[in-house]
Amino acid sequence: MINSGNNMDNKPAQQHKLTITYLYPVSMSTYGDRGNVLTLLRRAEWRGIAVHIKTAEIGERIPMGDLYFFGGGQDHAQIVVAQDLAGEKSAFLRAEAEAGKVMLAICGGYQLLGTSYTDGQGNVLPGVGILDARTVAGAKRMIGDIAVMPSDEFAARFSREQYEASGRAALIIGFENHSGKTFIGHNAKPFARVQRGSGNNGEDGTEGALYKNVLGCYMHGSLLPKNPHLADFLISTALAVKEGKPAPLSSLDDNIEWAAHDRVLSAKFGL
Ligand code: GLN
């Protein structure tokens, strides 16, 4: 719990500061994923955390952040972004990932954090190489609501029990819209197992990929407003890495968020 007031010795509680670096907010903005940045901003500010959002577009230096966000985009945007990322920028992002920085990448951004993305015209785009995951464009688009169960690897690191105890399904929900089929290699773990929907490729039952504190997945929606536990996990992890100690967050009244979450599960999947 962050001590929002004075602590015992009457010194003001340390104010947490969180810098979010938003990658390609214009070029990679097709699917409304900026809602994730707004959610991180609000949920941090509601806890008294000072948030600074920096952006990096084509041709611009990537400012260092505590948490990086990379949204989805169409093939033609990905070609330009992949070229912009090649070289120094990819090396910088790889170093940040190795340092344990939190990154959330959705769909097109997820694909570009992998090793390569072969688009619908057969262009092989180099990925940043943080996630051991390669993507090839498929013949059909995978579109629709999706529900996934976090993998044990991920669930062990975020308090699924806390949400099961509250009677909330541990399922994470979103909306997918991609033709790319992503296959994970040995140096990445799946983020989750698909319960409803397609996920990484519609074949192996996995969704997303994890490496250190980097999470890539196909879940638009946007993802975080209806999955408050995941949003809080990303904020507290980014602060813990920055400050070198656990950064538990005070609880919020998430009844509206969970009502939206549960509504999707019941209305779309009968769960
Ligand atoms: N262009 C990629 C694909 O179709 C990514 C799409 C997206 O970001 N939703 O798979």
Side-chain angles (χ1 to χ4, degrees):
M1 172 72 113
I2 292 175
N3 178 340
S4 54
N6 289 335
N7 41 30
M8 296 303 284
D9 55 9
N10 285 331
K11 278 194 298 191
Q14 174 217 16
Q15 185 185 40
H16 294 288
K17 293 182 173 61
L18 181 71
T19 297
I20 298 172
T21 295
Y22 185 177
L23 299 172
Y24 305 100
V26 177
S27 303
M28 298 289 278
S29 63
T30 311
Y31 302 88
D33 296 318
R34 69 189 295 271
N36 294 301
V37 178
L38 295 176
T39 302
L40 293 166
L41 170 67
R42 288 287 176 267
R43 294 188 71 82
E45 286 185 335
W46 288 334
R47 274 94 171 210
I49 298 167
V51 182
H52 186 178
I53 296 178
K54 299 180 178 177
T55 61
E57 254 301 336
I58 304 282
E60 296 176 347
R61 186 182 59 82
I62 298 178
M64 186 171 281
D66 305 311
L67 193 161
Y68 293 83
F69 179 74
F70 197 175
Q74 296 172 36
D75 281 12
H76 60 79
Q78 286 177 279
I79 292 171
V80 181
V81 168
Q83 289 163 351
D84 186 68
L85 278 170
E88 266 180 44
K89 291 186 181 182
S90 288
F92 169 77
L93 289 174
R94 285 195 299 272
E96 287 290 85
E98 289 303 324
K101 294 290 183 75
V102 170
M103 297 184 185
L104 174 63
I106 307 290
C107 204
Y110 165 34
Q111 295 169 341
L112 292 180
L113 287 192
T115 50
S116 67
Y117 172 50
T118 304
D119 70 13
Q121 280 65 48
N123 300 305
V124 181
L125 308 179
V128 172
I130 291 173
L131 293 170
D132 181 7
R134 65 178 180 83
T135 301
V136 290
K140 72 175 179 68
R141 290 197 76 80
M142 289 165 267
I143 301 178
D145 291 284
I146 176 173
V148 303
M149 178 62 79
S151 62
D152 291 343
E153 155 83 9
F154 187 72
R157 294 171 41 196
F158 106 106
S159 51
R160 179 165 65 174
E161 292 66 31
Q162 179 183 351
Y163 293 91
E164 283 175 340
S166 71
R168 302 293 184 192
L171 293 174
I172 291 177
I173 56 160
F175 189 87
E176 60 186 327
N177 179 352
H178 57 106
S179 72
K181 299 167 78 170
T182 297
F183 299 90
I184 298 174
H186 300 302
N187 290 330
K189 301 273 189 198
F191 161 51
R193 301 293 305 177
V194 176
Q195 306 298 304
R196 298 288 190 283
S198 300
N200 277 331
N201 47 53
E203 296 168 14
D204 63 13
T206 66
E207 161 54 4
L210 275 177
Y211 175 70
K212 289 185 181 257
N213 289 323
V214 176
L215 164 56
C217 69
Y218 274 109
M219 303 172 86
H220 298 294
S222 23
L223 172 64
L224 296 181
K226 295 191 285 288
N227 298 284
H229 51 333
L230 183 57
D232 288 353
F233 170 79
L234 297 173
I235 294 169
S236 60
T237 301
L239 289 173
V241 170
K242 178 176 188 174
E243 299 169 1
K245 62 182 189 306
L249 301 179
S250 55
S251 59
L252 295 173
D253 173 1
D254 286 334
N255 283 328
I256 293 175
E257 290 82 353
W258 283 111
H261 175 276
D262 297 350
R263 174 74 183 142
V264 171
L265 287 177
S266 59
K268 298 291 183 181
F269 303 119
L271 294 174

